[in-house]
Amino acid sequence: MVTIESTPEMAANVYETMARNLTIVRRRLGRPLTLADKVLLGHLDDPENQEIEPGKSYLLLHPDRVILQDVLGQTAMLQFMQTLRRKSPRPPLSTATISSRRESRASLTCHQSLQENQEVYDFLRSAAAKYGAGFWGPGAGNHSPGGCWSITPSLAN
């Protein structure tokens, strides 16, 4: 399975690529960049040739990481299967949240939720390994209002 933790080397590569891209974009636009410009245009796939006309251009981006939470992770993995992909084009991170549901004034306990959703967690874990994605299982994130631990990873990368 793919390493999902950020490393100093990964961060250095991300910042180096963004700095290189933004130098090109600044030269092309001939103006200072806003924070939104930096976040989006720093991830351009081809900053030298990308059309960058506000409100008209479709940007071809090269994200460093894609985080897929809950059903989005399942959907992406099923799409990889349907399109016969061998590997993810980017290293996604598939996450699972402990689900709690309401049943006439009572909710599932964390333990019950883990048992009820184990098949989903097993699928995400094995599909992530097959397609080169990382996987954070339930319990690896922050605390949710229902009293269970859920996944809400930081987008700090």
Side-chain angles (χ1 to χ4, degrees):
M1 197 168 310
V2 172
T3 301
I4 56 178
E5 288 78 23
S6 297
T7 63
E9 295 80 20
M10 177 199 167
N13 288 336
V14 167
Y15 288 125
E16 182 182 315
T17 300
M18 286 184 72
R20 188 173 48 249
N21 286 358
L22 293 174
T23 298
I24 295 167
V25 170
R26 256 187 221 96
R27 176 183 49 80
R28 288 186 59 204
L29 292 176
R31 64 170 173 79
L33 302 178
T34 66
L35 176 60
D37 289 336
K38 292 174 184 177
V39 170
L40 288 174
L41 302 177
H43 288 88
L44 286 175
D45 191 51
D46 182 6
E48 193 66 61
N49 299 305
Q50 170 70 56
E51 181 182 315
I52 43 179
E53 188 175 344
K56 295 189 178 180
S57 301
Y58 286 93
L59 300 180
L60 300 175
L61 301 174
H62 186 104
D64 309 304
R65 180 179 291 172
V66 178
I67 297 177
L68 307 167
Q69 188 169 350
D70 295 336
V71 74
L72 293 176
Q74 296 171 51
T75 302
M77 297 303 154
L78 290 170
Q79 288 176 346
F80 289 160
M81 291 173 178
Q82 291 292 359
T83 58
L84 305 177
R85 281 195 175 269
R86 294 185 184 273
K87 189 175 179 208
S88 168
R90 299 280 180 272
L93 171 60
S94 186
T95 67
T97 298
I98 299 175
S99 304
S100 58
R101 63 180 156 88
R102 303 280 174 192
E103 292 179 351
S104 62
R105 291 185 273 161
S107 67
L108 245 45
T109 66
C110 290
H111 179 72
Q112 290 169 316
S113 183
L114 284 169
Q115 287 181 327
E116 186 175 279
N117 295 295
Q118 190 60 51
E119 182 180 6
V120 173
Y121 306 144
D122 292 344
F123 166 74
L124 285 172
R125 184 176 290 107
S126 66
K130 178 177 181 175
Y131 293 105
F135 175 73
W136 276 349
N142 65 357
H143 199 264
S144 68
C148 293
W149 284 89
S150 64
I151 301 301
T152 310
S154 167
L155 295 175
N157 294 332

